[in-house]
Amino acid sequence: MTIRTVWKPFLRFALVACALSVGHAVMAADTTGTSEAPLVIGNRTVHVFRAPLGAITPLERAAVAKQHIETAFDQPGEGWTSVEGTANGVVVALDGVPMFTVVEGDARSALNERAEALANEASRTLQKAWLEHREHLDPKRHLWAAGYSAAILSALFLLLWLLAKTSHRLQSFITRRLEARIDQLLPSGVGAHFGDLLLTTAARAAVLLVWLIGLIAVFLALAQVLSRFALTRVLGEQMVESLQASVMLAVHAVATSLPGLFVAVLIFLLARLSTQLSRSLFARIAAGRLRLGALDAHTAPVTGQLVSAAIWLFALAMAYPYLPGSQTEAFKGLSVLLGLMVSIGASGLIGQVASGLILVFTRALRVGEYVRIQDQEGTVIHLGLLVTRLRTGMGEEISLPNSLVNSQVTRNYSRDAGKGRCLIETTITIGYDAPWRQVHALLQEAAATVKTVCSKPEPYVVQTALNDFYVSYRLVAQIEVRADKPRARVLGELHAAIQDAFNRAGVQIMSPHYLGDPAQPKVVPEGHWLGTPPP
């Protein structure tokens, strides 16, 4: 293989690359010939050339004009500028000497610009540039600008020092005056709840006001200092113009958003009125004073919450286009971010709400019922969309997630009992040597001694299992549910009565385990109930 064979593909690739580079250079040159060419003198843009003048491109026009102006600046003169219309355009002159020509092609028709207006603006800017050039060459002007800047900075530091000293005093003064008149500013009863919040807000607003004054003072002082020197005067003017533009933009934004804000507030007021009416309606249904189809006292509270949530979601969707800034890209991006966060974090929440709806509308639980869920039991005191709360007989309050309640077996002790009642049950094991009829009678006798146990329907006994060494007896009764006598306390009294009845009859309770017959029955004679058991 020869060297020519190896390098031939690389040489061909290099020739193609060179041809492409030349083509791009030609295209760039053509584009440059028709692009904008600003005329910058010092730090000021005097004019922007956009059209050719005969065979002269905009870039060449800008270069020639800059050369003429720089030459004229070095010559003695008064710096007077003038404009004069000609057949080719409007000529801008300095001390009677033409500098450049503004043609119709330099004006942008989309912005309704005219060559005459552009020439007049260029004439005024050129005069400023001439004055700044002369000022830059004068050492006295530099000394005067430095002294003026030092005075401005000294005043700025003094103002910042005064603001730092008076900030805490202003905050304390506003807080004291507002605290003394808070009862007059807020309606009765509102001040107790929102008084501290109002005072904190006023104090933070005072601090924010001081910071705002300080920042504006620093901004204006820097703009003034930059405006004192010829080389940085354009930057100072731009700072002031940007501040004015920002203020005007903010004022314009507030003014244009007021009608939409008014519509949004009106929508929210209507939503508030609708929710108040729906709450009143569902409160009547929950109190039993009204019934609408399937809505009753059990389903009304949760249905009312769903209706209120639907009303506010609908109001938010309707008011969204009228909120200030809702059409901006930042607001849209924030909305997407919030929606993504809610969709990711609310998966468990939606499951809890769905479980709550199932519990309510299937009527699996009701407020006031005594239930056992997993290893927790108590009276249902709250049945919401997210959690179910139980109050145990020990005075505890237990909150169970609705998904847990919906996935567990629930034993309801109140559903089949009468109003204001619930079932109570207990299981004991007795040996086979005790007559089962006697055991039944003793259990019923023990239940009859507990005042809270209802006599009608009568307590009954069920033999639930015939085990290897003993029989399992379950006593089932109904009790009156009262706040001063919780179910756990009644169950304790029933257990005590069962022990007394079986001890009195000399029947041995075999719980929890049976290993063999003892030498003496494990009973407590009645004479020893208040003392120690016999040896």
Side-chain angles (χ1 to χ4, degrees):
M1 183 180 294
T2 62
I3 298 177
R4 181 177 181 182
T5 306
V6 175
W7 285 99
K8 188 175 180 180
F10 293 98
L11 292 174
R12 186 177 299 172
F13 175 77
L15 291 175
V16 172
C18 292
L20 290 175
S21 300
V22 172
H24 283 298
V26 172
M27 292 176 62
D30 292 340
T31 305
T32 305
T34 57
S35 62
E36 295 182 351
L39 173 61
V40 180
I41 303 299
N43 291 323
R44 295 187 179 275
T45 301
V46 178
H47 181 63
V48 178
F49 298 96
R50 298 184 178 89
L53 180 59
I56 305 175
T57 64
L59 185 61
E60 294 172 344
R61 292 176 59 198
V64 173
K66 186 173 184 178
Q67 183 179 2
H68 288 173
I69 293 173
E70 289 177 351
T71 302
F73 278 8
D74 294 334
Q75 302 297 325
E78 300 295 332
W80 294 105
T81 58
S82 60
V83 295
E84 183 180 359
T86 63
N88 294 327
V90 183
V91 177
V92 178
L94 176 63
D95 289 331
V97 180
M99 298 289 108
F100 57 90
T101 303
V102 179
V103 299
E104 287 293 338
D106 295 337
R108 292 170 293 186
S109 59
L111 301 179
N112 294 325
E113 293 180 344
R114 298 295 180 187
E116 293 80 3
L118 291 179
N120 289 325
E121 181 65 25
S123 174
R124 290 188 292 268
T125 306
L126 180 60
Q127 190 173 31
K128 291 180 181 179
W130 186 90
L131 293 174
E132 290 171 356
H133 179 74
R134 289 292 190 271
E135 181 180 340
H136 180 64
L137 299 177
D138 189 357
K140 295 182 180 180
R141 298 296 298 271
H142 286 284
L143 293 176
W144 182 85
Y148 188 86
S149 300
I152 292 177
L153 293 178
S154 300
L156 174 64
F157 290 140
L158 178 61
L159 177 61
L160 295 178
W161 181 80
L162 291 176
L163 289 175
K165 289 294 184 181
T166 59
S167 175
H168 296 289
R169 295 182 181 180
L170 177 63
Q171 183 176 351
S172 301
F173 174 77
I174 293 177
T175 304
R176 288 196 305 269
R177 292 294 301 270
L178 189 59
E179 187 175 7
R181 302 184 58 184
I182 195 168
D183 294 333
Q184 301 176 3
L185 296 175
L186 296 178
S188 58
V190 179
H193 297 86
F194 298 98
D196 295 338
L197 179 61
L198 182 60
L199 293 176
T200 303
T201 303
R204 297 295 182 269
V207 175
L208 181 62
L209 178 62
V210 171
W211 274 92
L212 183 61
I213 294 174
L215 290 175
I216 293 177
V218 170
F219 186 87
L220 294 178
L222 290 178
Q224 286 295 321
V225 169
L226 293 175
S227 299
R228 294 304 98 192
F229 299 92
L231 292 178
T232 59
R233 185 166 299 157
V234 176
L235 182 59
E237 293 175 356
Q238 291 176 352
M239 290 179 63
V240 175
E241 290 175 358
S242 65
L243 180 61
Q244 293 176 350
S246 300
V247 172
M248 294 303 298
L249 182 62
V251 172
H252 181 265
V254 171
T256 54
S257 63
L258 285 178
L261 188 62
F262 173 78
V263 175
V265 171
L266 181 61
I267 292 174
F268 288 133
L269 289 177
L270 291 176
R272 178 176 174 80
L273 177 62
S274 300
T275 53
Q276 289 177 345
L277 292 177
S278 67
R279 287 175 185 173
S280 177
L281 175 63
F282 287 106
R284 289 176 174 270
I285 298 175
R289 292 180 290 176
L290 183 64
R291 185 179 179 89
L292 293 177
L295 291 177
D296 54 12
H298 175 66
T299 58
V302 173
T303 307
Q305 295 177 9
L306 290 176
V307 171
S308 297
I311 290 174
W312 281 109
L313 288 176
F314 181 75
L316 182 61
M318 293 296 294
Y320 177 83
Y322 300 101
L323 294 177
S326 60
Q327 305 302 325
T328 60
E329 296 299 328
F331 201 99
K332 294 178 181 178
L334 181 62
S335 301
V336 173
L337 178 61
L338 291 177
L340 183 62
M341 293 172 60
V342 170
S343 62
I344 294 175
S347 57
L349 180 66
I350 299 301
Q352 297 288 355
V353 173
S355 300
L357 294 177
I358 293 173
L359 291 175
V360 171
F361 288 101
T362 58
R363 291 175 169 81
L365 298 177
R366 292 178 181 175
V367 175
E369 292 182 338
Y370 194 91
V371 298
R372 181 177 181 85
I373 303 171
Q374 204 173 18
D375 57 347
Q376 306 293 337
E377 66 176 51
T379 303
V380 180
I381 60 175
H382 175 74
L383 187 59
L385 290 176
L386 299 178
V387 296
T388 298
R389 293 190 177 93
L390 305 180
R391 180 175 287 118
T392 67
M394 303 300 177
E396 302 171 331
E397 183 175 309
I398 302 174
S399 296
L400 301 175
N402 284 335
S403 59
L404 174 66
V405 177
N406 200 37
S407 62
Q408 298 295 326
V409 176
T410 301
R411 301 183 65 184
N412 196 321
Y413 296 100
S414 302
R415 185 61 57 88
D416 291 336
K419 186 176 182 181
R421 298 181 178 185
C422 73
L423 295 178
I424 191 171
E425 62 179 11
T426 185
T427 301
I428 63 172
T429 55
I430 308 297
Y432 284 99
D433 55 345
W436 64 267
R437 293 177 180 85
Q438 182 187 15
V439 175
H440 283 215
L442 290 175
L443 289 173
Q444 291 173 335
E445 177 188 345
T449 61
V450 180
K451 296 181 180 180
T452 315
V453 176
C454 302
S455 59
K456 291 184 180 180
E458 278 188 35
Y460 61 93
V461 181
V462 179
Q463 298 182 27
T464 59
L466 299 176
N467 300 300
D468 292 340
F469 305 106
Y470 47 75
V471 181
S472 296
Y473 297 89
R474 177 177 294 176
L475 174 64
V476 182
Q478 292 188 14
I479 63 173
E480 298 285 347
V481 180
R482 297 186 300 178
D484 59 339
K485 189 79 70 168
R487 186 177 183 273
R489 184 175 173 184
V490 175
L491 186 60
E493 293 178 356
L494 181 60
H495 287 161
I498 291 174
Q499 293 179 68
D500 290 344
F502 278 75
N503 284 327
R504 190 182 297 113
V507 178
Q508 186 175 212
I509 300 176
M510 309 301 293
S511 299
H513 298 289
Y514 181 87
L515 299 177
D517 292 325
Q520 295 180 354
K522 295 297 182 181
V523 296
V524 181
E526 189 173 357
H528 294 276
W529 285 0
L530 300 179
T532 58

